[in-house]
Amino acid sequence: MLTWLYVPGAEVEAALRADIDVTISADWQLRQVLDAARSIGSPARVHLKVDTGLARNGAFGAAWSDLVRGAAAAAAEQAIEVVGVWSHFAYADAPDHPTVRQQQERFVEAVAELEREGVHPQLRHLANSAATLTNPSAHYDLVRPGLAVYGLSPTPDLASSADYGLREAMRLVARLSLVKDIPQGQGVSYGHSYLTDRDTRLGLVPLGYSDGIPRNASNAGPALLDGRRLTIAGRVCMDQFLLDLGPDATAEPGDEVVLFGAGALGEPTAEDWAAATGTISYEIITRVGARVPRYYVEGQG
Ligand SMILES: Cc1ncc(COP(=O)(O)O)c(C=O)c1O
């Protein structure tokens, strides 16, 4: 396990005691890790992060050379063990983009710089899901797929999950909490942005934007109920939204509504939600709120 996003004063000592590897991207982090390692009396396992062109986390340019020298000195006195060196792509989802090759070249140079100082990390890692699936030359010693572990394509414009042999693993379901008859011409939910065009039945789904349903899924987000694809009717509220079930609906409170899943049973996918709300599937699957219970299902399918 590797930690990497922390601020001054973070509990580095506790991380080291828990056998968590710690990333170092800056001088102050090196100092903090050294203090923690000295106070527990054993070397810290660290991964040095080089910024090869994303301009986000990691040490860039001359700051990398400074970090290499500082880390080499600390490794020589056995205060740290440099087990890894890593970086992250800006354009992994566009495998032919010139920055992909440039970042890889910069990565190789950065590792060589470390090795010239006598530091030989066993774990060089650079690839996220897209690079794991499209760029074997970036695999080095380990890969860091995130989205692909959920069975989703990191490059939906280039290849689908199925094209990559992936199957969507996450499913978001709710149960209807109320079903009621509403006459034609009734505005639905805040602002009445949906107007019933006939006498109909509405179903209330107890999930809202505080549970991660994007508010801009109002009149746009898809769902599956009893084998039928429906679209959210009216505005998504904090804790609930509505579906127009139609006049002949036989649905009852307690019936299952599938917001997204693998798609095999006709349910929308996270990718469908991303398209409906103008975002990427990453955001759909990671924004599900803390009060939505998670069930981990093993050995199915
Ligand atoms: C540094 C780093 N590595 C790997 C990943 C995984 O990316 P993906 O979910 O595209 O596989 C991320 C995701 O944000 C990341 O920031």
Side-chain angles (χ1 to χ4, degrees):
M1 189 178 288
L2 172 66
T3 185
W4 59 297
L5 288 172
Y6 55 98
V7 294
E11 295 178 19
V12 174
E13 217 181 288
L16 297 181
R17 285 188 197 283
D19 286 332
I20 294 171
D21 293 1
V22 179
T23 290
I24 298 180
S25 286
D27 279 353
W28 72 262
Q29 291 182 330
L30 178 60
R31 285 195 300 275
Q32 192 165 333
V33 170
L34 283 175
D35 287 348
R38 283 175 187 136
S39 85
I40 65 173
S42 61
R45 283 172 53 95
V46 306
H47 297 226
L48 302 179
K49 185 142 192 226
V50 55
D51 180 354
T52 53
L54 175 61
R56 196 176 71 175
N57 198 244
F60 191 92
W64 171 251
S65 302
D66 291 345
L67 192 58
V68 165
R69 280 191 293 276
E77 63 178 71
Q78 286 172 6
I80 60 171
E81 185 189 352
V82 181
V83 293
V85 57
W86 66 299
S87 193
H88 194 45
F89 284 118
Y91 272 101
D93 55 351
D96 296 328
H97 196 276
T99 59
V100 173
R101 189 177 45 75
Q102 288 159 9
Q103 282 194 254
Q104 263 181 268
E105 286 169 3
R106 175 73 195 108
F107 186 64
V108 170
E109 278 166 22
V111 174
E113 197 174 340
L114 256 183
E115 292 184 336
R116 282 197 296 277
E117 293 290 331
V119 178
H120 300 274
Q122 318 133 30
L123 301 174
R124 298 157 301 160
H125 47 110
L126 183 55
N128 62 355
S129 296
T132 301
L133 292 164
T134 67
N135 183 0
S137 72
H139 288 182
Y140 302 102
D141 303 308
L142 61 80
V143 294
R144 303 188 309 268
L147 192 77
V149 175
Y150 286 74
L152 291 162
S153 169
T155 60
D157 298 337
L158 302 179
S160 68
S161 301
D163 294 335
Y164 285 125
L166 298 170
R167 190 159 46 97
E168 290 87 343
M170 182 173 169
R171 189 174 156 80
L172 178 62
V173 301
R175 290 185 182 280
L176 289 178
S177 68
L178 194 66
V179 175
K180 61 181 173 185
D181 294 318
I182 289 288
Q184 178 181 13
Q186 173 64 48
V188 174
S189 191
Y190 293 131
H192 284 179
S193 64
Y194 182 85
L195 211 59
T196 54
D197 60 1
R198 66 221 182 296
D199 292 355
T200 191
R201 311 198 80 193
L202 294 182
L204 186 68
V205 180
L207 284 177
Y209 56 76
S210 70
D211 302 301
I213 307 301
R215 189 166 175 274
N216 69 349
S218 301
N219 292 309
L224 185 79
L225 172 67
D226 196 19
R228 287 169 60 218
R229 283 285 279 263
L230 300 168
T231 301
I232 291 177
R235 207 175 277 174
V236 173
C237 310
M238 185 186 293
D239 312 302
Q240 53 200 308
F241 66 79
L242 292 137
L243 294 170
D244 183 346
L245 308 178
D248 305 321
T250 55
E252 293 179 2
D255 284 1
E256 186 178 83
V257 178
V258 185
L259 282 88
F260 62 79
L265 303 172
E267 73 273 37
T269 60
E271 195 54 53
D272 293 332
W273 268 83
T277 58
T279 184
I280 53 175
S281 60
Y282 289 79
E283 190 178 351
I284 298 297
I285 60 169
T286 56
R287 62 181 293 153
V288 175
R291 69 183 178 178
V292 177
R294 269 76 166 162
Y295 300 97
Y296 295 89
V297 183
E298 287 181 47
Q300 286 197 348

